[in-house]
Amino acid sequence: MPKWLDTAVFYEIYPQSFYDTNADGIGDIQGIIRKLDYIRELGFNALWINPCFVSPFGDAGYDVADYCQVAPRYGTNEDLKQLFAQAHNRGIHVLLDLVPGHTSVEHPWFRESMKPERNPFTDRYVWTDSVWTSPEGMGCLRGISQRDGSCALNFFSCQPALNYGFYNITQPWQQGMEDDGPKATLEAMKDVMAFWLGMGCDGFRVDMAGSLVKNDPEGEGTIALWKKVRAFLDEKFPEAVLISEWGEPDKALRGGFHMDFLLHFGPSHYNDLFRCEHPYFSDCGLGDASAFVEKYLDTTGKVGRAGLICIPSGNHDMCRLAKHVTQEERRLAFTFLLTMPGAPFVYYGDEIGMRHVENLTSVEGGYARTGARSPMQWDSSTNAGFSSAAGERLYIAQDPGADRPTVEKQMADETSQYHQVKHLLALRKAHPALQNLSEITFLSSGAPKEALAYLRSCDEETLLVAINPYREAVTFPVEGTLGKALYTYGGEASQKDGAITVMPVSAGIYLFE
Ligand code: NOJ
């Protein structure tokens, strides 16, 4: 694993909505460059940028039409190259978003593959051998080409599935992973990676990484495929970092990914923490983090130190963190997010508590996700400083509230969430025990009305993190001595007779012996 991942803390940028420098109402690459100092000063040292490539934007750019060309609305390849260089000058690494599972229907590969005559792209996608035959268990496009066949979909109807082969072959039209078509698809995707890595990007967040090989119930085929990718990278770009959107680190890390996310889907119980009717990080006393902790321990037991399990504050596919947890509760949630092992990922705007914008008409396939994708709120000028375009031209309407949070307001208020995030990131940087690969031992697993408490340790030190979202003080037994508080919110924990008492709605980080 590249050394920088030991201390990497990521900021996710949805480029459409971050900062617009040319007044067209949509964010751009130059906008990201202008805000690099903001990101660095907050304490982040790595970026994940959502797809910024040529696309008809049926799914906000996850429907790629040219993998090797920046979409004109964001700028040029030169701009992206400049972003890599400017980020590196500030000690920031940059991951692009790789979408290997599907393309747009407008991708030239797909246009070629629709032709009835055999050509080099005939087997680039998953096609059946007759328009009357559908691929089992997958949606499909049919009746759209002179080619007699149905093409499997990987996600929306504008996203035909690229062909990496089938793990279990049950139909004559299904190809194996070692067939020429699937092998050529993989080679083409390696070329895409090499193109951007050669230009200075540091790696990729891989979209739907577990979806590539079909009829692969345990993911064994897909794991084998990613191992090949890793072997290729190890030879040509050994420093290239890969993080998967898989949601099952025990599988993803076996495939050679350095990191995998815990997500709103999959077995991790991530939603129990912040995105459900009774989240653990709320004062209702009904929330329960214990299934999350149990699954987390089970997963860490399986992956060991093979890579990082990453817990995001949110992303462009989930409702905003602020939808289910209040300002006060978010302080507790951030104490957790920024003191857990693995690399933290903070979604742009979550550092100031941007709200989920309700009742928006879907934009570019966003549907319910649209409200989490609204433009960043920088200051009190026009369009919250995001763009100088007329308000109606903005990519997505902004939070209309007069009290909407902005970076400017929060920078001026020492008690704001912005300052909390900055402070916690500085603590994480200063304390090796809080960093990505240091150990975690749970002391209290956040059952209803119980604290979430854990030790973070490394050779140099042991720290205790204790969080109580509940409106009454809670206690948990402990062996050892609570030391000086390094950080507290809502009151300091105390120790008596082998038990630690955590104040109502509070969070703290303490020395521990
Ligand atoms: C996951 C991405 O995060 C999401 O935004 C997209 O719609 C799907 N994959 C399809 O690419």
Side-chain angles (χ1 to χ4, degrees), residues 71-93:
R73 73 187 202 179
Y74 300 129
T76 62
N77 285 13
E78 252 331 286
D79 291 327
L80 199 47
K81 198 169 169 187
Q82 201 185 326
L83 169 61
F84 299 145
Q86 293 284 344
H88 293 161
N89 284 344
R90 292 164 174 83
I92 297 174
H93 288 87

Side-chain angles (χ1 to χ4, degrees), residues 152-442:
L153 292 171
N154 220 36
F155 200 67
F156 287 154
S157 304
C158 59
Q159 291 158 313
L162 284 163
N163 180 22
Y164 295 91
F166 282 68
Y167 188 65
N168 294 316
I169 296 177
T170 58
Q171 302 295 330
W173 51 267
Q174 295 174 346
Q175 299 180 341
M177 294 172 63
E178 294 307 321
D179 284 343
D180 290 346
K183 275 166 65 181
T185 309
L186 186 57
E187 288 309 309
M189 212 43 69
K190 288 183 194 165
D191 290 347
V192 172
M193 293 189 206
F195 180 83
W196 292 113
L197 291 167
M199 204 179 274
C201 119
D202 299 292
F204 303 94
R205 172 269 188 187
V206 179
D207 188 70
M208 295 177 67
S211 76
L212 301 196
V213 176
K214 307 303 182 198
N215 270 3
D216 184 22
E218 300 307 319
E220 292 301 330
T222 303
I223 291 168
L225 179 138
W226 282 113
K227 279 189 180 157
K228 286 188 194 162
V229 173
R230 190 66 249 170
F232 157 76
L233 292 174
D234 283 345
E235 196 190 326
K236 306 269 188 215
F237 301 95
E239 288 294 302
V241 160
L242 292 183
I243 175 161
S244 47
E245 185 204 29
W246 198 315
E248 293 181 76
D250 40 335
K251 291 183 179 160
L253 302 192
R254 272 178 55 214
F257 283 92
H258 299 110
M259 314 178 258
D260 186 33
F261 289 110
L262 302 187
L263 290 166
H264 53 301
F265 60 84
S268 72
H269 289 269
Y270 170 85
N271 285 340
D272 299 1
L273 303 175
F274 343 88
R275 286 177 177 81
C276 63
E277 198 183 348
H278 300 299
Y280 178 72
F281 290 105
S282 78
D283 66 5
C284 65
L286 298 171
D288 187 351
S290 60
F292 171 86
V293 171
E294 193 182 324
K295 183 69 194 169
Y296 186 86
L297 287 172
D298 175 58
T299 310
T300 45
K302 284 182 188 149
V303 305
R305 294 171 71 85
L308 304 176
I309 300 172
C310 299
I311 310 174
S313 69
N315 70 26
H316 61 290
D317 292 331
M318 304 180 209
C319 57
R320 280 275 180 193
L321 184 62
K323 187 169 165 119
H324 291 288
V325 289
T326 65
Q327 185 175 313
E328 189 172 46
E329 292 159 357
R330 285 198 300 279
R331 297 289 203 286
L332 312 188
F334 267 105
T335 307
F336 164 78
L337 286 164
L338 301 182
T339 58
M340 283 293 285
F345 275 73
V346 173
Y347 184 48
Y348 83 96
D350 278 352
E351 74 276 22
I352 54 166
M354 266 175 64
R355 295 186 284 230
H356 196 87
V357 184
E358 303 292 350
N359 304 318
L360 290 177
T361 305
S362 176
V363 175
E364 295 186 346
Y367 302 100
R369 308 175 291 182
T370 307
R373 300 175 175 187
S374 65
M376 181 69 176
Q377 295 152 198
W378 294 103
D379 58 33
S380 54
S381 66
T382 313
N383 303 321
F386 161 68
S387 164
S388 53
E392 65 277 7
R393 285 191 68 201
L394 295 197
Y395 172 71
I396 292 176
Q398 285 181 304
D399 180 347
D403 62 342
R404 64 187 176 196
T406 66
V407 169
E408 185 184 42
K409 275 191 262 182
Q410 295 210 359
M411 277 184 165
D413 172 5
E414 283 294 323
T415 68
S416 68
Q417 192 177 313
Y418 166 89
H419 281 289
Q420 185 209 15
V421 169
K422 187 169 174 179
H423 184 65
L424 287 174
L425 287 175
L427 265 183
R428 189 175 176 104
K429 187 171 178 192
H431 287 275
L434 292 176
Q435 290 166 5
N436 302 1
L437 283 160
S438 296
E439 298 293 328
I440 184 164
T441 312
F442 285 92

